[in-house]
Amino acid sequence: MSDFDTEIDTSGLNCPLPVLKARKTLNDMSPNQRLRLICTDSGALKDIPAFCKMTGNVLLSSEEVDGKLHFIIEKGA
């Protein structure tokens, strides 16, 4: 069983597209569901935590896997 409900891969896209795609996807999700966001834009290291803080979503984890950034975001209430 995976630790996320939905995944989007924004590899190759630069700011602000990963944040915008995450926002759109999270808007269609239910509270407490989890999104795995995959990015290659290094700006996401600052942008995604700031986005989560501003929108009331919870950044559960961030890690680099095979040169890509993986974020697990839990939709807030």
Side-chain angles (χ1 to χ4, degrees):
M1 183 173 173
S2 64
D3 59 348
F4 58 91
D5 300 289
T6 302
E7 177 181 89
I8 55 173
D9 188 343
T10 64
S11 297
L13 300 178
N14 293 322
C15 181
L17 291 175
V19 171
L20 294 175
K21 288 186 175 286
R23 178 187 304 267
K24 182 179 185 314
T25 301
L26 286 162
N27 283 341
D28 294 335
M29 295 173 69
S30 298
N32 301 317
Q33 284 191 311
R34 295 177 177 185
L35 167 67
R36 179 160 77 170
L37 174 65
I38 301 171
C39 303
T40 51
D41 180 13
S42 62
L45 287 171
K46 290 183 181 177
D47 295 342
I48 298 302
F51 161 74
C52 289
K53 187 174 182 178
M54 289 184 344
T55 58
N57 296 301
V58 180
L59 179 60
L60 297 175
S61 68
S62 61
E63 63 180 339
E64 186 173 335
V65 179
D66 298 327
K68 295 183 179 185
L69 302 170
H70 289 224
F71 299 93
I72 302 291
I73 304 167
E74 185 174 272
K75 181 169 179 167

